[in-house]
Amino acid sequence: MVVGIGLGTALLLLASALPGMLDARERRGAAIVEIASSQLTAPGENTLVIAYANTEYRDRDVRGRLVRAEGSRPPVPPGLRALPGPGEMAASPALARLLERPDGALLRERLPYRVVATIGDDGLIGPTDLSYYAGSATLTVDDGSRVDGFGTARVSARLGPVLTLLAVTALVVLLTPVAVFVAVASRFGADARERRLAALRLVGADLPTTRWIAAGEALAAAAGGLTAGLALFLLGRRVIGSVELWRLSVFPADVRPTPGLAALVVAAVPLIAVAVTRAGLRRVVIEPLGVVRRAPRPPRRGWRIVPGLTGAALLLTLMNGGGTRGGSLAPWLAAAGIVLVLVGLTALLPGGVAAVAARGGRGPLPWLMARRRLAADATGSTRLVGGVTVAVAGAIAVQMLLAGLAGTFTTRTGQNPDRADLFVSTKGDPAGATALATTAGVRSAFTFTATSARVRGAAGGGEIPLVVGTCTALRELAAVGACVPGDVFTVASPYGETRVGPGSVVELTMTGRDGPVAWTVPRSATEVAAAADPVRQSRYGLFLTPEVLGIAGRSAAGRLIAFVRLDPNRDDAADRVRNTAARIDPLASILPVTATTEDRMFANIRRGLLAGATLTLGLVAAGMLVSSLEQMRERRRPLAALAALGTPRRTMALSLLAQAAVPMVLGLALALAGGLGLGSLLLAVFDERPRLDPGFIASVTAVGGAAVMAVTVLGLPALWRLMRPEGLRME
């Protein structure tokens, strides 16, 4: 009992620390933001030039900054004592470890700096963050910005009514199995406790006194469970910094329970233990000569449907968008409704088990033994799967909710990933086009130089966009038909800006030339219509093939843009392209071409929900094992008696598996029906239609069933030990 309550208490304390963890992440994120206290137009003793050098490695974000001090007293980022010099790098501990491992070889090639310092905790959001600061001797303000400090005021993101209700729903679904487990753990050792109370009746204690003694024992066990839970929480807090779930990690110092929530946990756990103990004694008649636990009585099962119906009624009041328009009361109504529906599932389970046991028919000896045990104690037999039922139902409901709301928080970008996988922008090195196209894992790439040119005699400066690329590239950017090297095209601006045509004189910025070069648009120039590129950007202005400018051995100076198609059979293709781009320009921008984007807050809630679900399922699995062992320990004398009568071990093992299988099948059936129903109700609260994922539903149901059977199999060695003749001894 103490161990079970301790496990539940530890997770509840962790949940009470969630607000503090979120606040700490916001505080750390605000502290590392570079700022300029005023309009810095000139370098000073306390200024710093900084540029973004973010990248990705194997689908993980790497936060990078290039820095160059402009004076003797530059600002130093949090977590560092000094800025790294040119060619040097300060790396986060996780990044430093990754660079030392063989699986970090490609990233080490991309970051060819010498690690001279480690970023401290103050400069990181989480212990597994991949982050670095690298020194540069050539960085200019044009490459980044000039700053004189770090740290900005925190601006807490407002979730809005939909995300607030979603967050509340996620927390309730995750914590309800924990509360159910704490209640179940409070019944561990009930048989032995009731025998002790019978002994007290023999020496003169009356029934009310024995019930108060039982409540006192439960209170003492709850106090021990709270102590054990606090110890487990503190132990887990020490190692939590090395754990990452769904790319979320926290520093141990940030895991601090909120005082109010922690006090609620400390008060609620003993109350649950006492209430469950008192309720469990209602079916028990404790007399001086023994305990009568299951006296025959007319079945009264109608109350078992009341919690579920009440919860459904509360959720129905929030239908048709009422949950997002119901003000501050809506989250509380939704939370109460979800709890009642999930708890109502566990209330229905004993009745179903009792019905199966009563109508199970004939069969082999293991099945008859299992039926007898299930009929004798249907409620106790369902303790093992109650938490699994709630967890599986909650997982199905939340998955339906997330799938239904995904469209609300997903925006179509208009980009076309069928035409390109990556968008690359670097400094205009002509050799970069060849390097990108010949990178291992690149199936195809079209590149061009994007810059601007000045039209002589035009009003307002006469700036027009200039694109220089091969005929293949120009066909991707405009409605170009026939094209041969040396052709020139023009695309009219849709905004009525400066036009250019045959005979216009433009000034081009060329590589290797100090000043602009005058160039006349030939009469062969053809006007074509604009067309969208893979990222839905329509370009206009002057479109040239490289041969037009190749007479002087020069090329136009500007940004080198590339759209790259990757080989889907090469997992490292994207990282190799990033390495090539980093060699061309350490500040290169590489972005994926995606058809949709997802709201950041919605994605964070989903990641947090998945991390929490992992912890909850771990607790449920541990609780099932503790419950299984405790139930067998309480039955050690009957088990030893059966062994003494010659019952084979195989028969006992099959009977134990059957006793687990019946509640498991019924519990998963209830979880499936309850999860689908709860998910539909929650989507109705958000005014969305249900979207089912049969694969996920089948997977989570199979995992729940496998967990129950695995715990039962793991308990077989304990069963063999309890079947020894020594189990018949009694003091």
Side-chain angles (χ1 to χ4, degrees), residues 617-703:
L617 289 176
L619 171 71
V620 169
M624 285 193 301
L625 184 58
V626 172
S627 177
S628 176
L629 296 176
E630 182 65 26
Q631 286 181 356
M632 286 190 290
R633 190 183 69 83
E634 291 180 351
R635 295 161 50 198
R636 62 185 182 275
R637 277 190 292 274
L639 292 173
L642 288 172
L645 292 173
T647 306
R649 283 189 172 187
R650 179 176 178 274
T651 300
M652 293 295 296
L654 291 176
S655 174
L656 185 65
L657 292 173
Q659 292 174 44
V662 171
M664 178 200 72
V665 173
L666 292 176
L668 292 179
L670 279 174
L672 181 61
L676 293 175
L678 180 58
S680 300
L681 286 173
L682 291 175
L683 286 172
V685 170
F686 290 96
D687 201 16
E688 295 285 347
R689 293 184 177 180
R691 293 180 176 86
L692 299 182
D693 185 350
F696 175 85
I697 294 173
S699 298
V700 72
T701 305
V703 168

Side-chain angles (χ1 to χ4, degrees), residues 405-418:
L405 292 178
T408 304
F409 296 97
T410 301
T411 304
R412 298 195 64 84
T413 63
Q415 299 179 5
N416 189 350
D418 293 332

Side-chain angles (χ1 to χ4, degrees), residues 82-327:
L83 293 174
E88 297 177 343
M89 177 173 67
S92 65
L95 179 59
R97 290 192 297 267
L98 177 59
L99 294 175
E100 293 173 355
R101 297 199 305 262
D103 59 337
L106 282 176
L107 184 59
R108 189 164 56 248
E109 177 185 334
R110 194 182 313 167
L111 305 176
Y113 310 106
R114 183 168 58 92
V115 179
V116 297
T118 301
I119 302 175
D121 293 353
D122 293 341
L124 302 172
I125 297 178
T128 61
D129 285 1
L130 303 180
S131 181
Y132 73 92
Y133 293 91
S136 173
T138 60
L139 192 66
T140 66
V141 177
D142 293 336
D143 299 319
S145 59
R146 178 177 288 119
V147 301
D148 60 357
F150 288 88
T152 185
R154 286 186 293 160
V155 179
S156 299
R158 301 185 66 88
L159 294 181
V162 175
L163 288 179
T164 298
L165 198 54
L166 175 61
V168 170
T169 300
L171 285 175
V172 171
V173 168
L174 291 178
L175 295 181
T176 299
V178 181
V180 170
F181 172 72
V182 170
V184 170
S186 301
R187 292 290 296 159
F188 291 169
D191 291 353
R193 179 171 61 244
E194 290 158 5
R195 286 193 295 270
R196 290 194 302 272
L197 295 177
L200 292 176
R201 289 275 286 140
L202 188 61
V203 297
D206 58 9
L207 283 175
T209 302
T210 57
R211 288 191 172 93
W212 281 112
I213 292 174
E217 288 186 0
L219 191 62
L226 285 173
T227 304
L230 179 60
L232 289 173
F233 171 76
L234 294 176
L235 180 62
R237 185 174 178 264
R238 296 182 60 182
V239 301
I240 198 171
S242 59
V243 177
E244 184 181 33
L245 293 176
W246 298 96
R247 298 184 181 177
L248 291 176
S249 62
V250 294
F251 287 103
D254 297 336
V255 185
R256 293 173 296 192
T258 303
L261 295 178
L264 181 62
V265 171
V266 172
V269 169
L271 288 177
I272 292 175
V274 172
V276 170
T277 300
R278 298 273 298 184
L281 292 176
R282 289 169 50 188
R283 292 192 57 197
V284 177
V285 179
I286 301 174
E287 297 294 345
L289 298 180
V291 179
V292 179
R293 295 188 178 87
R294 303 165 197 97
R297 63 180 183 181
R300 293 181 299 173
R301 302 191 181 96
W303 68 269
R304 296 183 180 276
I305 66 174
V306 173
L309 292 179
T310 304
L314 288 176
L315 293 175
L316 287 173
T317 62
L318 301 174
M319 283 184 62
N320 299 322
T324 60
R325 299 189 300 267

Side-chain angles (χ1 to χ4, degrees), residues 520-615:
T520 302
V521 178
R523 296 191 177 276
S524 60
T526 305
E527 183 172 353
V528 294
D533 63 16
V535 294
R536 207 182 68 169
Q537 180 178 357
S538 297
R539 302 175 185 274
Y540 61 92
L542 192 58
F543 287 54
L544 313 178
T545 52
E547 291 75 14
V548 174
L549 307 175
I551 299 175
R554 307 290 184 185
S555 62
R559 299 291 297 179
L560 179 66
I561 308 297
F563 288 96
V564 181
R565 290 294 306 275
L566 302 176
D567 184 352
N569 298 319
R570 292 287 298 265
D571 294 335
D572 60 350
D575 285 316
R576 292 187 178 278
V577 170
R578 291 188 175 93
N579 285 7
T580 301
R583 285 194 296 269
I584 301 171
D585 179 10
L587 299 176
S589 175
I590 303 97
L591 301 174
V593 179
T594 58
T596 59
T597 59
E598 191 174 56
D599 181 82
R600 183 178 61 86
M601 294 302 300
F602 178 76
N604 288 340
I605 290 176
R606 183 174 60 186
R607 289 168 57 199
L609 177 61
L610 293 173
T614 303
L615 291 174

Side-chain angles (χ1 to χ4, degrees), residues 376-398:
D377 188 11
T379 302
S381 301
T382 59
R383 294 175 191 166
L384 188 66
V385 298
V388 175
T389 301
V390 174
V392 171
I396 293 174
V398 169

